[in-house]
Amino acid sequence: MNTPEHMTAVVQRYVAALNAGDLDGIVALFADDATVEDPVGSEPRSGTAAIREFYANSLKLPLAVELTQEVRAVANEAAFAFTVSFEYQGRKTVVAPIDHFRFNGAGKVVSMRALFGEKNIHAGA
Amino acid sequence: MNTPEHMTAVVQRYVAALNAGDLDGIVALFADDATVEDPVGSEPRSGTAAIREFYANSLKLPLAVELTQEVRAVANEAAFAFTVSFEYQGRKTVVAPIDHFRFNGAGKVVSMRALFGEKNIHAGA
């Protein structure tokens, strides 16, 4: 069983690594056999190589990522609300997902799912 | 596929029914074969009778329930952050879960999971 403290720390490291554009730091949080479904409803990426490729793509633009509420963590799962802000062709965009992490016995993220729809994509200030 | 608008409306009806202590209104949102895991890590309740019993227990105290952020909805799933406030023996408590709903083809909730841990239970003001 993972502690809430461990899972919360992993979420915070994930956010910090996204902000820093630290691809190795992100990938290190995931189990070798992890899956990433981002957004929910898309084809899940499976395994380290596919996950690295996904985040390498995500980090092509600088991202400003911020937790907007307390992390929820219990059993082997965590959920967290956050915003991802970026600028593309002069337009600011803020996406507001809720992510769900499931952890394995080694404390690594074995499943990540990002839940957001069109209504959760906002024009930035 | 459920629309985001439908799923968001169901979440809003769920919150309104909890506030109103409307047990029939809550149960009507769930499929006959739905499961409710609240909190995540506990034994899921399965089927209408078990779900009714669970919410009847939950409603023994008056609850003040409030969405604290926009509902996330995509594909056949929704996630939402909210607070549940109640008073027990003169002490106010605020629980801050993130719930996850999965919808069936008929637009009913077929899986509900409430993710919160001890750190998400706060002494009320």
Side-chain angles (χ1 to χ4, degrees), chain A residues 75-100:
Chain A
N76 289 309
E77 302 182 37
F80 53 102
F82 64 109
T83 51
V84 180
S85 306
F86 56 89
E87 191 170 328
Y88 181 62
Q89 296 184 334
R91 283 188 55 187
K92 289 189 183 172
T93 301
V94 181
V95 186
I98 286 178
D99 272 18
H100 176 256

Side-chain angles (χ1 to χ4, degrees), chain B residues 7-105:
Chain B
M7 295 189 283
T8 300
V10 169
V11 169
Q12 289 163 342
R13 267 180 266 158
Y14 179 70
V15 169
L18 285 169
N19 277 313
D22 176 7
L23 185 55
D24 288 341
I26 296 167
V27 174
L29 303 174
F30 288 89
D32 294 345
D33 60 345
T35 56
V36 167
E37 184 180 343
D38 184 351
V40 163
S42 66
E43 187 64 33
R45 284 83 167 178
S46 187
T48 303
I51 290 171
R52 173 176 284 274
E53 183 188 9
F54 170 73
Y55 282 105
N57 265 316
S58 304
L59 293 174
K60 279 185 181 166
L61 293 174
L63 304 177
V65 180
E66 195 173 2
L67 290 173
T68 50
Q69 286 192 349
E70 63 198 81
V71 175
R72 279 70 161 188
V74 70
N76 289 308
E77 302 182 37
F80 54 102
F82 64 108
T83 51
V84 181
S85 306
F86 57 88
E87 193 170 328
Y88 181 63
Q89 297 183 336
R91 284 188 56 188
K92 288 189 182 174
T93 301
V94 181
V95 186
I98 286 178
D99 273 17
H100 176 257
F101 282 180
R102 191 181 294 270
F103 291 76
N104 69 10

Side-chain angles (χ1 to χ4, degrees), chain A residues 7-125:
Chain A
M7 294 189 283
T8 300
V10 169
V11 169
Q12 289 164 342
R13 266 181 266 157
Y14 178 70
V15 169
L18 285 168
N19 277 313
D22 175 8
L23 184 56
D24 288 340
I26 295 168
V27 174
L29 303 174
F30 288 88
D32 294 345
D33 60 346
T35 55
V36 167
E37 184 180 343
D38 185 349
V40 163
S42 65
E43 188 64 32
R45 284 85 167 177
S46 187
T48 302
I51 290 172
R52 173 176 284 273
E53 185 188 8
F54 170 72
Y55 283 105
N57 265 317
S58 303
L59 293 173
K60 279 184 180 166
L61 293 174
L63 304 178
V65 180
E66 194 173 1
L67 291 174
T68 49
Q69 286 192 349
E70 63 197 84
V71 175
R72 278 71 161 187
V74 70
N76 289 309
E77 302 182 37
F80 53 102
F82 64 109
T83 51
V84 180
S85 306
F86 56 89
E87 191 170 328
Y88 181 62
Q89 296 184 334
R91 283 188 55 187
K92 289 189 183 172
T93 301
V94 181
V95 186
I98 286 178
D99 272 18
H100 176 256
F101 281 0
R102 191 181 295 269
F103 292 77
N104 70 9
K108 297 286 189 179
V109 179
V110 72
S111 162
M112 178 280 223
R113 305 181 75 235
L115 213 157
F116 65 96
E118 285 179 20
K119 293 274 171 65
N120 308 118
I121 303 174
H122 307 279

